[in-house]
Amino acid sequence: PYLLPVELLRQDAKELSHRHPEENFFLTWTRACSLLAARERPALLGYVAEVLDYYISKIRQRHPIDACRCGAEFWVKARQPGEAIDFHWDKDEALRNAF
């Protein structure tokens, strides 16, 4: 994975947070590969795609992977300096025992 200037990540995070304040995002590996092939992409999504591709490529050497179902969940929240990030459970945490 590559490193990006923090200001680029911060700018993209603020934009995503303002556009979609209550949402989380799921980036499939298929979509990550498409983003990586694009010449221009948002810095934050490009970074998530790089990290996802790096780790899935390693896992894929040992295990078969469904590229459309495998991915990463992430979310962006804008916080003021010193504002707490409260402990929480992801909303899909209750589903983990269903499989």
Side-chain angles (χ1 to χ4, degrees), residues 46-79:
Y47 180 74
V48 172
E50 281 277 343
V51 171
L52 183 60
D53 185 54
Y54 174 80
Y55 286 105
I56 288 182
S57 294
K58 285 182 147 208
I59 293 167
R60 214 174 135 198
Q61 294 170 5
R62 291 187 227 133
H63 305 287
I65 297 232
D66 181 343
C68 295
R69 293 184 67 198
C70 190
E73 179 186 25
F74 68 100
W75 55 95
V76 178
K77 298 292 180 195
R79 302 276 189 225

Side-chain angles (χ1 to χ4, degrees), residues 25-38:
F25 305 95
F26 185 77
L27 182 66
T28 66
W29 187 42
T30 303
R31 179 72 178 120
C33 292
S34 296
L35 276 169
L36 294 175

Side-chain angles (χ1 to χ4, degrees), residues 7-8 10 16 20 23 49 60-61 66-67 72 81-82 94 96-97:
E7 195 49 45
L8 280 177
R10 188 175 288 142
L16 269 175
H20 310 282
E23 292 184 39
R60 214 174 135 198
Q61 294 170 5
D66 181 343
R96 74 176 172 192
N97 293 329

